[in-house]
Amino acid sequence: MMRLDPPDTREVDYSKTRNNVTNWFDTEYSKYQRLANIPVISSVRLSLAPKGTASANSVEDMNVNRANAKQVLEFVDAILDTLDDRYKTIIKSLYIQGSQNWQVAERLGYGTTSYGIIKNKACALFAQTMDITAGTQLTAYKDQE
């Protein structure tokens, strides 16, 4: 029998959640993007470590890291595909393509206030989906009294 969790009644802290999502894309996602774009290296052993240091950067490790990074990027794409088109456009444009807020608002035809509300919702939905599926802790909640 399927078990559903009771609804989460905690109030989302949109500002903190948005900051968490921004920081995650700036640090983690960009790291995976860089790793995923490292060219495949064949059997030549590459070590930039000074002589005498044990090098854990074997070609196999590097290729595994690269493959893992590509999977992470695909996973994030799959999560974005579950979101409403507006939300997906906001997250992709801002955090992956590097657009400015005003450019995204203009593209979607929103004024500043409406855009801010929709951007918060987009970040919250992305964060909650990442938290459930990947075990991140991007969603912030207001303190319960």
Side-chain angles (χ1 to χ4, degrees), residues 3 6 8-10 12 27 42 46 48 51-53 58 60 81-84 98 105-107 111-112 116 120 125 139:
R3 186 181 68 78
D8 192 336
T9 55
R10 295 175 296 172
V12 171
T27 58
S42 58
L46 175 73
L48 301 175
K51 294 281 180 259
T53 353
S58 72
E60 296 80 32
D81 284 339
T82 69
L83 301 179
D84 176 291
E106 202 171 84
R107 183 176 328 146
T112 312
N120 281 346
L125 288 170
T139 312

Side-chain angles (χ1 to χ4, degrees), residues 10-107:
R10 295 175 296 172
E11 194 180 345
V12 171
D13 184 323
Y14 286 103
S15 176
K16 282 185 183 157
T17 299
R18 190 183 61 238
N19 288 341
N20 291 345
V21 169
T22 302
N23 291 338
W24 187 84
F25 273 101
D26 285 350
T27 58
E28 297 304 306
Y29 188 84
S30 65
K31 176 181 73 183
Y32 291 121
Q33 275 186 316
R34 289 190 304 275
L35 271 173
N37 289 314
I38 291 172
V40 176
I41 298 166
S42 58
S43 61
V44 180
R45 186 165 175 84
L46 175 73
S47 177
L48 301 175
K51 294 281 180 259
T53 353
S55 171
N57 280 4
S58 72
V59 171
E60 296 80 32
D61 288 346
M62 205 139 82
N63 287 334
V64 166
N65 288 343
R66 186 176 156 278
N68 178 53
K70 281 189 185 254
Q71 283 184 318
V72 170
L73 299 182
E74 286 167 14
F75 180 74
V76 170
D77 274 347
I79 285 181
L80 291 173
D81 284 339
T82 69
L83 301 179
D84 176 291
D85 281 343
R86 300 170 301 173
Y87 303 144
K88 178 181 176 176
T89 299
I90 289 171
I91 302 281
K92 268 195 134 149
S93 302
L94 284 181
Y95 302 118
I96 298 173
Q97 295 155 354
S99 301
Q100 298 295 314
N101 278 304
W102 67 268
Q103 294 170 312
V104 183
E106 202 171 84
R107 183 176 328 146

